Amino acid sequence: MEEQKKILFVINPISGGKKKTAFNKKVLEVLDMGKFKPTFQHTSGPNHAYELGQMAIKEGYDAVVAVGGDGTINELGSALLGTNIPMGIIPEGSGNGLALYLGIPMNETSAINRLNRFETVDVDCGLINDKPFFNIAGMGFDASVSDRFANDSVRGPIGYLRSAINVISNYKPCRYELVIDGVSYEREAFMISVANSPQYGNNAYIAPNASVTDGVLDVCIVHKFPMYTLPMMVFHLFNRSADQSEYVEIIPGRDIKIKRKEDGPLHVDGEPITMVGDLNICVKPRSLKIIC
C-alpha cells in the first residue's frame, strides 16, 4: 500500500472575513485519508505562514496548503519557492485572483476534493526588489487602495470597493521612468501593475493575456483618464478587455526597472508594503509547484 503523504494545511483565520471553525472537520470528511495524513496550523499574524512553510520543509512534508487569500499564498509560496514541495490552495480570500486563474474551485468542499488528484503545475514567480509575487504587484492607485483596505474593518469585496471609492476622489497620477528589457519609457500613470497572472481577483482582469507559465511579466500602465470614463474602465476590467482601452498600455517583459518621482505605497499580491527608491523586477520561470 502507498505510504500516506504528509500534508500541512496553513489556515489564515481572518482571510476574506470568513469563519473557518469547521474547516478541519470538512477536510477529514473530504480528503482521501488513504492517501494523505493532514496536519493543521493557524496563522497568528504577518509572516507566520512563511515561517510555517519553512517548518514544513524542515519536517519533510509532502505538500503544504494555503487556506486563505493571495496574501497567504504569497507567504507560503515564498517559503516553498525553488523546492519540490507543491502548494495547494483553498481559496478563502477577498479576491482569490491566482486561484480563479488556475481554475481552482471557489467552493470549499470542491477545492479540498481537488487535492485528492494531486496534479501539479510549475508556475512562474515575479520578484520586486527580491520580494516574490505570484499574482500581481503594483504601484499607484491600486496600491493606495490596498493600503487603505488593510486598515479597514470591513473585509471582502464590499470593503475593497469602499476603500477604492474613498481613494479615487483625491488620487493624483504620478510620473515614472521605466526600462523594460532594455527599452526606456517615460509615463505619467494612474497606476502601474506588473502582472504574472491576468486578474486581481473577483474576475477583474488587468492583463487579459498574462500567463503564469510563459516566463514573462505584463507591465500594465493605466494612463490618466477622465472620471466620466470610469464606468467604461470598470467594464473593460470585468469584460477581460482592459488591453482594448485607449487608457491602458501593456508591455511584456522579463527584466523591468521602474523609477518613481516620489516614493509611495506598493502592493504585492494585494498586501501593502513600503519600498523606497528604484524598483527592480524580474521573473523566475517555473519556480513553484502548485496543486491544481
Side-chain angles (χ1 to χ4, degrees):
M1 186 176 138
E2 193 183 344
E3 193 180 342
Q4 285 173 300
K5 287 178 165 56
K6 283 172 63 182
I7 186 167
L8 175 65
F9 288 84
V10 175
I11 303 159
N12 181 340
I14 62 166
S15 64
K18 301 169 188 169
K19 281 197 169 70
K20 303 174 188 73
T21 45
F23 180 78
N24 296 22
K25 183 169 176 284
K26 179 77 66 72
V27 168
L28 297 176
E29 289 168 1
V30 179
L31 196 68
D32 184 341
M33 301 305 282
K35 267 190 187 178
F36 300 103
K37 185 180 179 185
T39 307
F40 303 93
Q41 291 272 9
H42 284 77
T43 59
S44 56
N47 218 43
H48 193 194
Y50 178 81
E51 290 165 8
L52 290 170
Q54 289 192 309
M55 179 208 78
I57 296 167
K58 287 193 187 87
E59 296 190 3
Y61 276 85
D62 298 295
V64 187
V65 180
V67 185
D70 287 325
T72 310
I73 290 166
N74 178 282
E75 285 194 25
L76 264 187
S78 298
L80 300 175
L81 201 57
T83 73
N84 275 321
I85 302 172
M87 179 177 70
I89 299 172
I90 308 295
E92 301 276 12
S94 300
N96 303 308
L98 188 62
L100 281 163
Y101 172 66
L102 291 170
I104 293 168
M106 292 297 109
N107 174 276
E108 195 174 78
T109 302
S110 301
I112 296 166
N113 194 40
R114 180 69 69 92
L115 298 173
N116 290 327
R117 304 191 319 193
F118 211 71
E119 292 174 0
T120 64
V121 61
D122 293 345
V123 304
D124 302 337
C125 165
L127 292 173
I128 179 163
N129 286 3
D130 293 327
K131 179 164 178 57
F133 65 96
F134 301 94
N135 197 45
I136 294 174
M139 62 213 71
F141 171 72
D142 58 345
S144 296
V145 174
S146 292
D147 198 34
R148 186 167 187 130
F149 179 58
N151 299 305
D152 199 324
S153 57
V154 180
R155 305 306 293 165
I158 300 296
Y160 193 84
L161 184 62
R162 188 168 83 168
S163 298
I165 290 165
N166 285 331
V167 169
I168 200 166
S169 52
N170 302 312
Y171 189 77
K172 299 278 185 290
C174 303
R175 291 202 71 78
Y176 300 91
E177 292 173 19
L178 304 95
V179 180
I180 303 172
D181 290 346
V183 181
S184 297
Y185 306 84
E186 194 159 326
R187 297 289 187 267
E188 184 176 36
F190 186 69
M191 66 186 200
I192 296 178
S193 294
V194 182
N196 187 37
S197 107
Q199 63 159 294
Y200 291 116
N202 298 311
N203 293 310
Y205 286 76
I206 185 64
N209 298 311
S211 162
V212 299
T213 57
D214 63 358
V216 175
L217 299 169
D218 282 19
V219 182
C220 309
I221 303 164
V222 178
H223 299 281
K224 187 178 175 182
F225 57 88
M227 269 303 133
Y228 71 82
T229 64
L230 184 60
M232 182 53 86
M233 297 293 283
V234 172
F235 170 79
H236 279 307
L237 268 181
F238 288 96
N239 193 45
R240 301 190 189 194
S241 57
D243 54 336
Q244 293 170 31
S245 167
E246 63 184 296
Y247 300 107
V248 178
E249 180 181 10
I250 299 178
I251 306 167
R254 292 179 172 86
D255 180 29
I256 302 146
K257 291 177 176 54
I258 301 177
K259 187 180 285 190
R260 299 174 286 172
K261 295 297 184 191
E262 54 207 52
D263 294 328
L266 301 176
H267 79 84
V268 174
D269 288 341
E271 299 296 314
I273 62 166
T274 302
M275 283 182 185
V276 296
D278 298 352
L279 304 171
N280 294 296
I281 306 164
C282 64
V283 61
K284 287 185 76 169
R286 308 287 178 107
S287 50
L288 177 69
K289 289 186 180 303
I290 294 186
I291 303 167
C292 61

